[in-house]
Amino acid sequence: MVVNETRRRMLRQLNSRYIYGKYPLLHAIVFIIQLTMVTVLVRKFNGYYANRPVLTTMITNAVLGGIADTVAQTLTALRMRQRQKKLNPDYGKDDFFSIEISELDKKVPWPEDDFMTPASKRGPPPFDFERLTRFMAYGFMMAPVQHKWFGFLEHMLPIGGGKATSNALRRVAFDQLIFAPCGLACFFTFMTVAEGGGKRAVMRKFQDVYLPALKANFMVWPLVQMLNFRIIPIQFQIPFVSTIGIAWTAYLSMSNASDEPVVTSNDNSP
């Protein structure tokens, strides 16, 4: 109990810290750790892939999915911070949010809690480690499916000879008309269930965000997959998609996060 309380207090304190009054400190720490993991994977990817291709792909997918969600959470925090500054001109002035990290401890003590703070003066939502875990778990579990799918496309529609371009186009068609709709359905279903939602929540998620996400997918991914299938070696195809997909997964993360709090300028309730 004491350990959990200490951990919660430490996370709450880290969530209240900003670098130069702009960038959430905890988000930055998580992002740096993830980049370090990516650096290790990049340096040794070929060796890992040669020995354990599926496991290597699973770990790579998980890390890149985590980066995407961290980016999404950071963008949300920055956006809400800007919104609060517009609603409350005094927000961020002479308080612990606006002081540089190096000067923070000297000027302002740690906040004990913010339950009694008006919503318009609170900071953006804290970093959600459970949400990060869900995204990493989804990337980890989907990697074997992607690995099998890309292997199937490689076997059925080989890139070589005089049919390289035509087979690449066929791969894109197969991928976008079969795998993409199913993949998005799996994504929103997994995330909703992992968040504790039931059948109704899944149906509501599909009604609200599935079709817009699928339309956005058709605007982004055909060209990316054409480049992927035509040029990228098969062992790098999933990492390439996952890397390009950081922005895409960040978009999905923000689309899936339907519980973003709304702040109003007249909200003075605790």
Side-chain angles (χ1 to χ4, degrees):
M1 181 66 70
V2 176
V3 174
N4 289 336
E5 180 60 30
T6 302
R7 182 177 62 86
R8 283 196 298 268
R9 188 170 185 272
M10 182 178 297
L11 289 176
R12 185 170 65 245
Q13 291 169 348
L14 284 173
N15 272 306
S16 68
R17 302 296 197 177
Y18 279 76
I19 302 174
Y20 297 108
K22 295 181 180 180
Y23 306 104
L25 176 60
L26 185 54
H27 295 61
I29 292 173
V30 173
F31 187 67
I32 290 171
I33 293 173
Q34 291 168 336
L35 286 183
T36 302
M37 296 173 67
V38 168
T39 301
V40 173
L41 284 171
V42 168
R43 286 207 312 262
K44 301 184 178 182
F45 182 83
N46 285 332
Y48 290 153
Y49 190 89
N51 294 325
R52 296 185 176 181
V54 177
L55 180 60
T56 301
T57 305
M58 293 169 74
I59 294 173
T60 303
N61 248 23
V63 173
L64 293 175
I67 289 176
D69 183 62
T70 300
V71 170
Q73 292 199 47
T74 303
L75 291 175
T76 299
L78 292 173
R79 184 175 60 186
M80 290 190 65
R81 185 165 169 78
Q82 290 299 319
R83 182 192 305 171
Q84 287 168 321
K85 284 184 177 181
K86 291 180 180 179
L87 294 173
N88 181 10
D90 294 328
Y91 178 82
K93 294 181 179 180
D94 300 325
D95 65 8
F96 60 88
F97 285 106
S98 62
I99 302 172
E100 294 184 11
I101 293 297
S102 59
E103 302 174 359
L104 191 54
D105 290 328
K106 299 177 182 178
K107 294 187 177 182
V108 181
W110 288 106
E112 289 297 326
D113 214 330
D114 64 350
F115 293 126
M116 300 304 294
T117 305
S120 60
K121 294 184 179 181
R122 292 178 191 168
F127 190 88
D128 191 341
F129 283 96
E130 291 184 3
R131 172 174 147 178
L132 174 66
T133 302
R134 289 193 293 269
F135 269 82
M136 295 186 71
Y138 178 79
F140 188 83
M141 291 186 297
M142 279 298 292
V145 180
Q146 290 177 294
H147 190 270
K148 288 289 187 181
W149 174 250
F150 279 42
F152 167 77
L153 293 178
E154 176 71 17
H155 175 72
M156 295 298 296
L157 300 167
I159 302 297
K163 294 185 177 181
T165 301
S166 61
N167 278 354
L169 288 170
R170 291 188 181 97
R171 284 194 193 186
V172 172
F174 269 85
D175 185 73
Q176 292 301 297
L177 296 177
I178 298 175
F179 191 82
C182 295
L184 278 176
C186 290
F187 171 81
F188 287 118
T189 301
F190 174 85
M191 289 298 168
T192 305
V193 173
E195 291 165 0
K199 183 178 179 180
R200 289 185 179 180
V202 172
M203 295 302 296
R204 186 164 58 250
K205 184 74 70 174
F206 271 71
Q207 292 172 356
D208 293 341
V209 298
Y210 179 76
L211 286 180
L214 187 60
K215 291 178 182 178
N217 170 87
F218 290 146
M219 294 176 64
V220 173
W221 282 104
L223 182 60
V224 173
Q225 290 290 47
M226 183 63 186
L227 175 65
N228 189 33
F229 293 138
R230 186 67 179 85
I231 298 176
I232 306 299
I234 187 169
Q235 69 268 28
F236 297 119
Q237 286 181 359
I238 296 178
F240 173 78
V241 167
S242 298
T243 302
I244 299 297
I246 287 177
W248 171 251
T249 308
Y251 161 76
L252 290 180
S253 177
M254 290 187 287
S255 298
N256 184 69
S258 58
D259 57 347
E260 181 178 315
V262 177
V263 180
T264 61
S265 57
N266 295 324
D267 185 3
N268 293 318
S269 59

